[in-house]
Amino acid sequence: MPPTILPASPDVFFYQSNFAIVTPMANEENEFDEYTAALAAELDKIQSGRVYMVIDNVTKDRTLEMARALSARDDRFVTIWAPENRNIVHAYLRGYREALANGHDIIIEMDAGLSHDPRAIPMFLRVLNEGNECAFGSRFINGGSIYKSNFKRTFLSKIGTYLSNILLGSTMQDMTSGYQGFHANVVAEFMAYPLKSTAHFYQTELRYLLRKKRFAEIPIHYRAPSPSVSENAIKNSLSTLWHYFKLRLAGKAALIE
């Protein structure tokens, strides 16, 4: 059955879908109200959608309290308390599991704190309702940008994309962005795959594994990423990149078909 198209203005259309947003939250007290208000405004326009807020022991401020209060007054926002998480990848996957269990057709992953602009959600829905299995946010295509970022973080993002494309044979313009969306069947496939990443390389690993799916890159504006990347995260990224590069050299390139 084709998606319902809702006119939001004379020249803008949104696809109404049974979709979910997965958004890990850690120490988001200062931006919580602004971020969730922006999400609610998009859900109001689209007239559907649910947000799964994943919070774990990394959070030391009032984020969990604020999330629970929001869930109590707006059931579109679901608080997931996940103290068992050991890294950011566990947080993403916990949110995906919850969204799958609740039968959502499309699941979009985004960072909290307004690093990712909620106003891009309709673009992800449009792309995913027009024959694509995956939609990947890109800062490095026409219309995309990265701002309020220091040189080191921007350099790491660009060099990560360059190395991944060279060593793994991928072709995307942005291999390191965390704003992305999938049909539920694709999520179920990568949830069953033994991912190796525990930190920032997770998004790159997913894009590499899903490179043969039908996908589109969407221009996004990425704001104020954290100023540094931990040494352990860099080590895990290099280790995972080397793992897949060796498989490619051996003629056993990994793939989720």
Side-chain angles (χ1 to χ4, degrees), residues 161-177:
T161 292
Y162 176 78
L163 286 175
S164 298
N165 285 334
I166 291 295
L167 296 179
L168 302 181
S170 48
T171 59
M172 295 183 201
Q173 298 299 308
D174 191 343
M175 287 288 286
T176 62
S177 164

Side-chain angles (χ1 to χ4, degrees), residues 136-137 174 177 180 203-211:
F136 298 119
D174 191 343
S177 164
Q180 50 196 0
Q203 280 91 9
T204 306
E205 183 177 11
L206 273 189
R207 293 180 188 209
Y208 167 66
L209 292 171
L210 299 172
R211 66 194 180 279

Side-chain angles (χ1 to χ4, degrees), residues 24-226:
M25 291 186 166
N27 300 308
E28 307 290 351
E29 180 178 350
N30 292 337
E31 290 83 23
F32 185 90
D33 288 337
E34 183 181 2
Y35 174 57
T36 55
L39 280 172
E42 293 307 311
L43 301 188
D44 289 343
K45 290 177 186 175
I46 302 166
Q47 299 181 22
S48 67
R50 178 165 287 181
V51 179
Y52 294 89
M53 305 175 291
V54 184
I55 304 166
D56 54 38
N57 284 320
V58 172
T59 294
K60 305 301 180 185
D61 64 6
R62 296 178 54 249
T63 300
L64 178 60
E65 175 187 341
M66 296 172 76
R68 284 174 168 164
L70 175 59
S71 296
R73 64 179 183 269
D74 187 340
D75 63 8
R76 297 176 301 177
F77 288 83
V78 179
T79 301
I80 302 171
W81 170 236
E84 71 280 4
N85 289 349
R86 293 294 175 265
N87 54 60
I88 184 60
V89 179
H90 288 169
Y92 285 122
L93 297 184
R94 175 61 193 277
Y96 278 124
R97 279 198 300 274
E98 202 76 22
L100 280 177
N102 283 285
H104 295 284
D105 300 323
I106 287 173
I107 306 172
I108 297 171
E109 167 194 318
M110 65 187 298
D111 293 342
L114 293 170
S115 299
H116 294 149
D117 190 341
R119 290 174 296 182
I121 292 170
M123 287 194 295
F124 281 87
L125 294 177
R126 179 184 292 272
V127 163
L128 290 166
N129 276 298
E130 291 180 343
N132 294 288
E133 299 170 282
C134 311
F136 298 119
S138 177
R139 301 156 292 180
F140 307 133
I141 61 174
N142 187 36
S145 67
I146 178 170
Y147 61 107
K148 292 187 178 179
S149 172
N150 65 22
F151 172 79
K152 181 179 178 181
R153 279 306 304 271
T154 301
F155 175 77
L156 285 174
S157 295
K158 290 186 175 181
I159 198 66
T161 292
Y162 176 78
L163 286 175
S164 298
N165 285 334
I166 291 295
L167 296 179
L168 302 181
S170 48
T171 59
M172 295 183 201
Q173 298 299 308
D174 191 343
M175 287 288 286
T176 62
S177 164
Y179 206 166
Q180 50 196 0
F182 310 97
H183 283 278
N185 65 297
V186 176
V187 174
E189 289 179 64
F190 69 67
M191 290 286 290
Y193 189 90
L195 298 172
K196 293 185 64 63
S197 299
T198 59
H200 293 75
F201 199 77
Y202 152 76
Q203 280 91 9
T204 306
E205 183 177 11
L206 273 189
R207 293 180 188 209
Y208 167 66
L209 292 171
L210 299 172
R211 66 194 180 279
K212 298 298 184 182
K213 298 286 189 184
R214 295 188 305 277
F215 71 85
E217 292 193 84
I218 295 172
I220 61 168
H221 303 292
Y222 187 49
R223 187 185 81 171
S226 57

Side-chain angles (χ1 to χ4, degrees), residues 197-202 204 229 231-243:
S197 299
T198 59
H200 293 75
F201 199 77
Y202 152 76
T204 306
V229 178
E231 183 177 337
N232 285 338
I234 293 174
K235 286 180 178 178
N236 177 253
S237 297
L238 293 174
S239 171
T240 306
L241 179 61
W242 180 245
H243 168 77

